[in-house]
Amino acid sequence: MSTIAENIANIRARMNEAAKKAGRDPSEILLCAATKMNDADRVKEAVAAGVDCCGENRVQEIQEKRPQGAYEGKPLHFIGHLQTNKVKYIIDKVDCIQSVDSVKLAKEISRLAEKIGRKMPVLIEVNIGGEESKGGIEKAALPALLEEIAVLPGIQVNGLMAIPPICAEKSALCNYFSQMHQSFIDIRAKKIDNVFMNCLSMGMSSDYAEAIECGATMVRIGSSLFGPRDYTR
């Protein structure tokens, strides 16, 4: 079985290949280790092997692993669905919240961030495939949401995040990724106060090469990095 470090080296090589294929600088693309269901020691291995940041899906896992030093030395992003009443548990523990999909959630993040004297970087999650089973806002609702939350004093909008539908054809998958990239570029061109399109977070274990070819600046890799998750635990 490959080690975590070997898996990261292979992922980096594939990331570089995809970037060069698209005429991009590989150093522009960040590798986020999706650490869900991996214990603190395994997360530490990923950090030591050179991931750019860690992404956690569950508040409870942050509460368990952070005191053990799991993420030490790398930024910690929250990448899962976040309930408004759980914001208080992570507001002083994460470096970015990637899954903002409502004004209500943004307002609570801003309120609690202000209380501790910080401005929380956030990404807006877009439900690019319009799937009922996934979080995120509809693409058409993105401009209105940005207008409402850009004025909040305790957050800074740093980009967009998306999880496209599972696609049998690469062309269909790339269409979703390209739509996200176009929205990213269009919003950046508007130069909205407190909205900075620095990060386009898209692409996971099964499709990160395609995401990079279509303009992703961050990919979130779990099973290809750590191995298959054991959902029976």
Side-chain angles (χ1 to χ4, degrees):
M1 188 191 300
S2 299
T3 66
I4 287 171
E6 288 169 341
N7 289 342
I8 289 171
N10 290 334
I11 291 164
R12 288 284 191 194
R14 193 162 176 230
M15 288 172 65
N16 291 349
E17 183 183 338
K20 288 172 182 174
K21 185 175 177 181
R24 301 179 62 198
D25 181 351
S27 68
E28 294 175 356
I29 302 143
L30 302 179
L31 171 57
C32 177
T35 52
K36 181 173 75 172
M37 298 176 68
N38 286 281
D39 63 24
D41 287 341
R42 289 174 63 76
V43 177
K44 287 177 187 177
E45 279 188 62
V47 168
V51 297
D52 296 302
C53 62
C54 297
E56 201 65 81
N57 285 71
R58 298 169 178 167
V59 171
Q60 183 181 351
E61 291 200 42
I62 292 175
Q63 292 173 316
E64 290 172 1
K65 289 182 255 186
R66 189 171 177 271
Q68 300 176 57
Y71 320 107
E72 203 166 303
K74 294 296 179 181
L76 174 59
H77 291 212
F78 190 82
I79 60 175
H81 174 69
L82 181 60
Q83 295 174 294
T84 307
N85 64 356
K86 298 285 182 70
V87 175
K88 61 190 174 189
Y89 299 117
I90 64 167
I91 195 69
D92 60 341
K93 296 175 177 66
V94 303
D95 299 285
C96 178
I97 297 173
Q98 292 201 19
S99 47
V100 173
D101 61 359
S102 71
V103 174
K104 180 183 177 185
L105 178 58
K107 283 182 174 178
E108 182 65 358
I109 293 168
S110 178
R111 182 182 75 82
L112 292 173
E114 267 204 294
K115 280 181 72 173
I116 60 170
R118 71 176 301 190
K119 202 176 182 83
M120 175 64 74
V122 303
L123 306 185
I124 306 303
E125 182 176 1
V126 180
N127 189 338
I128 191 62
E131 296 175 282
E132 289 185 13
S133 61
K134 287 181 181 168
I137 64 157
E138 298 290 331
K139 181 184 166 189
L142 185 55
L145 180 72
L146 285 170
E147 190 176 324
E148 283 201 68
I149 72 173
V151 299
L152 297 174
I155 67 169
Q156 175 177 297
V157 180
N158 270 5
L160 306 176
M161 184 264 257
I163 304 170
I166 295 170
C167 298
E169 298 294 330
K170 179 178 175 177
S171 58
L173 176 65
C174 289
N175 180 52
Y176 287 117
F177 284 143
S178 295
Q179 285 183 52
M180 283 300 305
H181 185 249
Q182 191 59 54
S183 292
F184 182 74
I185 296 299
D186 291 346
I187 293 164
R188 178 188 280 170
K190 291 178 181 176
K191 295 183 166 57
I192 305 165
D193 286 347
N194 199 34
V195 174
F196 305 88
M197 290 292 109
N198 299 324
C199 181
L200 179 56
S201 174
M202 60 184 191
M204 299 190 292
S205 290
S206 62
D207 56 16
Y208 66 91
E210 289 84 358
I212 290 168
E213 288 175 31
C214 295
T217 70
M218 176 184 286
V219 293
R220 309 179 305 275
I221 312 297
S223 57
S224 289
L225 195 158
F226 292 107
R229 294 188 178 103
D230 181 5
Y231 287 97
T232 63
R233 287 175 16 184

